Amino acid sequence: MVTATKTMSDQRIDWWNIQLGDEEAAAVTEAIRNRCISQSTLTAKFESQLAETLGVPYVVCTTSGTSALMMAYMAAGIAPGDEVIIPNRTAVATAHAAMILGATVVPIDVRPEASIIDETLIESAITDRTRLIVPVHMNGKSCNMNAILKTADQYHLQVIEDACQGLLSRYNGIPQGTIARWGCFSLGLAKVVATGQGGAVCCHTEEDYILMKRLRNQGVNDTDPQHNYNMLAGNFKFNDILSAIGIVQLDKIEAKLRRQREIHDTYRHGLQGLKSIRFVPVDTDHGEIPLRAECVATEREKLLQDLKEYRIHTIAHVCNINEMPHIGGQGPYPNSDFFSRHLMLLPCGPDQPLENVKRTIDVLKELDERYQPF
């Protein structure tokens, strides 16, 4: 093993690496030069290309993944007094988008092997106020959509997929976020396709597509000359400058996904046999695409600090929904609690050099004996 000697000359390794370079800059310049600034032709082009990439008829882009979720919840008719079932480990946006509409979120525990909703617990969380189930494909790990849709059908509930971390990751060969009636995605900077900020909702019917466009634009269709305002909506419009970036990013998607898989497999093989650190794999052999490089560590906080000494930036993962004082939850959440104490993110991202990944592995091997084993 190569000894990962600690020296200040080592370049800092960031936990996430994605490059927006000359091609993206040229695309933005061209958009501005052609007066494509607000939501117009480039947004329509980006939406069309993203829909084709996902294999769905329609995509509507919006300001963020949070806005995408809120628009989908609005389309589903979520209102004050309704209950929305979500996993206890997810980005807080999954909950906030429902709570802004006056709904109550009901977080349930995740599976012991991954931070995704335990579908076997959904039925016991359903009440007469439940209206919606939101499976979240955290880190590109597929929720059991067949079981979830079956439960939803049995209880006449709606399902919206939160695929903000699952763009182009697949469940049984089908892209995550394209299985239920609506699926939501994020285009933020720490995503595989990054426009800086942004989100998207995919639709399967023209009726839903028109509804989503109206929700994005104060309740009216962009092409409606009458502008008949007859529904509650907002201004969640995208713009052509961000779309110009997105079009270039989509052109690079195959290389990005390939690097994501390479990083995942390098960690998976390189961290085998460690006593205090375990890599959390996704099923790349069957089409899952990891967004992050996740591991669990017995003494996470100590490891985070020790890695800083080697100029390697890592971060603890999101806390549980029930731990947020303005949300809470009934529990118990034994699996969520384990991940909340031990899960962390290693250096990754579609433009992360493999040399950085290998250096991180060497350091983790060197540090392993310092900590309590699992």
Side-chain angles (χ1 to χ4, degrees):
M1 181 187 78
V2 177
T3 302
T5 305
K6 177 173 58 177
T7 68
M8 292 308 292
S9 62
D10 285 333
Q11 183 177 355
R12 170 187 163 99
I13 298 176
D14 292 321
W15 83 267
W16 179 259
N17 193 323
I18 190 168
Q19 300 296 324
L20 300 182
D22 292 343
E23 293 174 89
E24 286 84 358
V28 169
T29 300
E30 186 69 13
I32 295 172
R33 183 176 291 124
N34 292 330
R35 301 174 67 92
C36 295
I37 297 171
S38 187
Q39 181 179 285
S40 186
T41 55
L42 288 181
T43 299
K45 180 180 179 180
F46 179 50
E47 289 174 335
S48 177
Q49 290 183 352
L50 187 54
E52 183 178 359
T53 302
L54 288 167
V56 294
Y58 309 103
V59 162
V60 174
C61 286
T62 183
T63 55
S64 66
T66 309
S67 297
L69 286 163
M70 189 162 64
M71 286 166 57
Y73 294 171
M74 292 171 71
I78 298 305
D82 292 342
E83 290 182 351
V84 177
I85 294 175
I86 67 172
N88 192 42
R89 286 191 63 79
T90 179
V92 71
T94 313
H96 280 175
M99 295 169 68
I100 288 171
L101 300 176
T104 299
V105 294
V106 180
I108 64 174
D109 206 8
V110 296
R111 294 186 194 171
E113 77 281 2
S115 294
I116 53 174
I117 195 166
D118 186 342
E119 70 280 359
T120 67
L121 301 177
I122 292 176
E123 187 170 12
S124 62
I126 295 172
T127 72
D128 58 1
R129 296 170 58 194
T130 306
R131 298 292 179 267
L132 177 65
I133 304 170
V134 186
V136 182
H137 303 292
M138 288 290 284
N139 198 39
K141 189 75 175 175
S142 295
C143 301
N144 188 339
M145 291 303 300
N146 288 344
I148 292 168
L149 290 170
K150 182 177 180 180
T151 299
D153 184 63
Q154 179 181 351
Y155 287 91
H156 308 291
L157 304 175
Q158 299 188 76
V159 175
I160 291 172
E161 290 177 85
D162 181 339
C164 288
Q165 292 191 9
L167 182 64
L168 294 178
S169 191
R170 293 178 178 271
Y171 168 76
N172 291 343
I174 305 171
Q176 295 170 3
T178 70
I179 301 161
R181 182 175 178 182
W182 291 290
C184 301
F185 304 90
S186 172
L187 304 169
L189 192 60
K191 300 298 188 294
V192 176
V193 173
T195 60
Q197 286 292 339
V201 185
C202 75
C203 313
H204 298 277
T205 68
E206 185 177 11
E207 180 181 10
D208 283 347
Y209 175 56
I210 292 171
L211 172 60
M212 202 58 63
K213 289 203 299 180
R214 293 180 65 195
L215 287 167
R216 179 175 65 178
N217 189 36
Q218 304 291 8
V220 299
N221 196 323
D222 295 340
T223 59
D224 178 11
Q226 300 301 319
H227 281 191
N228 295 313
Y229 297 97
N230 57 13
M231 63 181 291
L232 182 64
N235 179 0
F236 305 117
K237 289 184 286 188
F238 205 50
N239 67 69
D240 279 11
I241 294 176
L242 297 183
S243 295
I245 297 172
I247 290 167
V248 175
Q249 288 275 293
L250 271 183
D251 287 341
K252 303 176 181 179
I253 190 63
E254 290 304 322
K256 288 171 172 286
L257 298 182
R258 183 165 57 250
R259 176 51 57 91
Q260 292 291 92
R261 288 188 288 262
E262 288 172 346
I263 290 172
H264 173 274
D265 291 343
T266 301
Y267 277 124
R268 181 165 58 90
H269 294 300
L271 297 180
Q272 285 181 349
L274 298 191
K275 298 177 181 179
S276 66
I277 303 160
R278 294 177 182 170
F279 190 61
V280 182
V282 303
D283 193 356
T284 55
D285 291 338
H286 292 90
E288 291 182 351
I289 303 293
L291 180 64
R292 320 285 195 215
E294 296 181 335
C295 75
V296 290
T298 55
E299 298 180 62
R300 181 184 64 188
E301 304 311 315
K302 184 178 179 182
L303 177 57
L304 291 170
Q305 290 302 314
D306 287 345
L307 286 170
K308 284 184 179 180
E309 296 297 317
Y310 291 84
R311 298 177 61 80
I312 297 173
H313 182 214
T314 55
I315 60 175
H317 211 293
V318 294
C319 67
N320 299 338
I321 292 295
N322 74 292
E323 295 172 349
M324 301 175 189
H326 64 300
I327 303 179
Q330 296 301 311
Y333 303 105
N335 298 327
S336 299
D337 291 341
F338 173 83
F339 287 117
S340 183
R341 291 193 303 269
H342 298 290
L343 193 65
M344 57 184 284
L345 304 182
L346 300 174
C348 54
D351 293 298
Q352 188 76 251
L354 286 179
E355 292 77 12
N356 289 351
V357 174
K358 293 173 182 177
R359 179 179 148 207
T360 301
I361 291 170
D362 288 339
V363 171
L364 290 173
K365 287 180 177 179
E366 187 174 311
L367 295 175
D368 183 43
E369 295 296 332
R370 298 186 184 183
Y371 315 118
Q372 292 292 323
F374 276 104

